[in-house]
Amino acid sequence: MTDLQKIPDSELEIMMIIWDADEGVTSDYIMDRLDKTWQKTTVLNFLSRLGDRGFLTVHKQGRFNVYQALVKKEDYLQKESKTFLRRMHHNSLTSLVASLYDGAGISKEDLQELKKFIEEAE
């Protein structure tokens, strides 16, 4: 995997829409699915930045620009998860799970699922 830059939250929201579409999308498609009320020029600026950083490609389809992800969602999330684990928990998965459990962020069902995952990985 290439050295991916961290995507700012506002641009990540746009990338999530593109990744979830699983195909090329227009800026209007993105605008319709945003939780925010951004101006179209704001969205176009974010799309341009994402393209400049190598996350998106853009091509003309008729009179519309179509944006498509160049980076897979799974690759980006894996990189960000590893960075978070390293920075916040010193690469300790136990510390991460403990912080979720202590903060009531993890249910008994989550723990069972995690246990099953660990058993299958062994």
Side-chain angles (χ1 to χ4, degrees):
M1 173 180 10
T2 60
D3 187 31
L4 298 176
Q5 298 174 0
K6 180 173 176 36
I7 301 174
D9 289 345
S10 51
E11 294 172 25
L12 182 58
E13 186 172 343
I14 290 172
M15 280 304 299
M16 294 299 278
I17 292 169
I18 295 168
W19 281 323
D20 289 347
D22 204 27
E23 64 183 0
V25 298
T26 64
S27 58
D28 288 339
Y29 177 93
I30 294 166
M31 294 286 297
D32 289 344
R33 284 155 183 79
L34 279 173
D35 290 336
K36 298 185 173 30
T37 55
W38 286 332
Q39 297 294 318
K40 189 165 187 169
T41 54
T42 302
V43 172
L44 292 174
N45 283 332
F46 288 150
L47 288 167
S48 177
R49 287 185 206 164
L50 288 163
D52 291 346
R53 284 197 229 112
F55 284 94
L56 295 177
T57 185
V58 60
H59 65 274
K60 278 282 201 198
Q61 192 170 356
R63 54 185 206 133
F64 298 102
N65 284 336
V66 176
Y67 301 89
Q68 196 145 12
L70 290 173
V71 174
K72 292 180 183 175
K73 179 179 181 180
E74 296 77 20
D75 291 343
Y76 182 76
L77 294 178
Q78 181 182 48
K79 183 246 179 209
E80 280 301 302
S81 297
K82 285 180 180 179
T83 299
F84 176 79
L85 185 63
R86 185 184 77 249
R87 284 186 184 163
M88 301 302 290
H89 296 280
H90 306 288
N91 283 328
S92 171
L93 187 57
T94 304
S95 171
L96 172 64
V97 173
S99 71
L100 292 172
Y101 186 72
D102 292 344
I106 190 166
S107 67
K108 288 193 182 287
E109 292 81 20
D110 290 332
L111 288 173
Q112 287 296 325
E113 188 176 334
L114 184 57
K115 180 180 176 185
K116 182 180 175 187
F117 176 78
I118 291 168
E119 289 169 353
E120 290 174 0
E122 293 180 325

